[in-house]
DNA sequence: TCCCGATACTTGAGAGTTCAAGTAAACTGG
DNA sequence: CCAGTTTACTTGAACTCTCAAGTATCGGGA
């Protein structure tokens, strides 16, 4: 007894998918082109830059950027190769490792941010009036809420 | 003179990104787990199944599924290996090739669809009331519109 | 104390995506 | 009519992501 989608639902679903894909791809392309990193890596640098002492445990960082541990581990490995992030073993619990944003990583982020913010405005904020923005955020929060448990 | 995001804007942006990533990842995982294909491949099968004679030119198909030609070319190559899609050179214009959904491909799609639709309901429709759905669609349409030129 | 099951993270292989470059056919102006 | 451009698609290499399996460490009970 499949509850198939009617035409309106089809349209709604495809519009949502297309819009979110479009925005993400644009932003990803912009960062790759102008700063040589995918959006996922940028998110890692941002979260680290906002953390106390610019460092976070891998598992915490993974949660913050909505990434699997595996994905983050690979990502940090690449960022480490570039010298933008450094890993430190935790003395108290040797299983955990801290990801630390290096000064070079911070500088790269600082250089990337203005262009990225501008792109976000062009692909997102500049297209919506305050009312639409508010409603969209509310609705996205609903979609997210169920993810908690 | 970067127009930085204020706190509300930060929140709105991160909520939108997180929600659209969450939904897409859930659906992608569901299809991979239950039907052994990523969402992008599923979309190809769907578009072909809806086309006259279940066939489409590669470039048209790419546009329909919001994919680059390169991505589609690789995707159709994989789908062809599995026998779900077949390629045919066009006699009138030998540059173009048609992607044709095979009977087996149609059967695979028919088998995958119910589970996928159910997942879409759980991750999306069941969480929104009709008012929210309508508004979200309207807003996504705005985000998309600019992509046309 | 020793063992067993969590916990934290890493690793490797396989798959998909991207970008740039490559092929081939069709059009187009001199 | 034929050089040069455009169009349609493919290919290969580099890179990211996923999934499953692996390593190391910690905590709690017998």
């Amino acid at each position: 007894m499949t509850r198939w989608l009617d035409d309106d639902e089809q349209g709604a679903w495809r519009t949502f998918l297309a819009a979110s894909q479009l925005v993400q791809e644009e932003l990803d392309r912009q960062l790759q082109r102008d700063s040589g990193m995918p959006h996922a890596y940028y998110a890692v640098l941002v979260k680290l830059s906002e953390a106390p002492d610019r460092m976070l445990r891998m598992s915490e960082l993974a949660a913050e950027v909505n990434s699997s541990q595996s994905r983050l581990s690979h990502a940090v490995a690449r960022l480490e190769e570039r010298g933008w992030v450094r890993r430190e073993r935790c003395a108290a619990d040797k299983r955990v490792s801290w990801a630390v944003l290096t000064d070079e990583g911070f500088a790269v982020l600082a250089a990337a941010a203005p262009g990225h913010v501008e792109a976000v405005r062009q692909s997102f904020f500049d297209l919506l009036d305050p009312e639409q923005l508010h409603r969209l955020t509310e609705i996205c929060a609903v979609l997210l809420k169920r993810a908690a448990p």
Side-chain angles (χ1 to χ4, degrees), chain A:
Chain A
M1 296 306 88
T2 301
R3 297 180 292 155
W4 295 106
L5 303 185
D6 63 34
D7 286 359
D8 281 0
E9 287 171 329
Q10 287 269 357
W13 174 239
R14 293 182 184 191
T15 305
F16 173 74
L17 263 195
S20 53
Q21 275 169 8
L22 176 69
V23 172
Q24 295 202 43
E25 278 164 21
E26 280 181 337
L27 276 286
D28 218 41
R29 214 183 335 276
Q30 179 272 325
L31 275 170
Q32 192 70 59
R33 175 169 39 75
D34 298 343
S35 309
M37 66 182 125
H39 185 268
Y41 289 18
Y42 180 83
V44 166
L45 300 186
V46 167
K47 285 298 176 187
L48 285 176
S49 77
E50 293 172 349
D53 296 322
R54 293 180 189 162
M55 63 196 301
L56 280 174
R57 299 170 43 154
M58 290 294 282
S59 48
E60 239 183 296
L61 183 51
E64 290 280 347
V65 300
N66 307 306
S67 163
S68 67
Q69 286 209 140
S70 171
R71 171 149 65 139
L72 180 66
S73 193
H74 285 297
V76 169
R78 300 291 157 276
L79 292 171
E80 207 170 14
E81 285 168 10
R82 304 186 195 182
W84 299 351
V85 169
R86 172 168 41 85
R87 264 188 272 219
E88 270 177 33
R89 308 203 72 65
C90 174
D93 183 341
K94 287 184 199 149
R95 291 170 305 177
V96 340
S97 67
W98 296 83
V100 189
L101 187 63
T102 64
D103 290 344
E104 195 187 338
F106 188 80
V108 167
L109 178 60
H116 183 61
V117 169
E118 187 50 41
V120 171
R121 290 215 174 271
Q122 281 179 24
S123 299
F124 188 70
F125 288 105
D126 289 352
L127 305 171
L128 303 174
D129 62 41
E131 172 93 12
Q132 290 173 321
L133 184 58
H134 176 69
R135 285 187 174 148
L136 176 58
T137 306
E138 228 170 39
I139 293 168
C140 287
V142 172
L143 292 176
L144 273 179
K145 199 160 38 185
R146 183 195 41 107

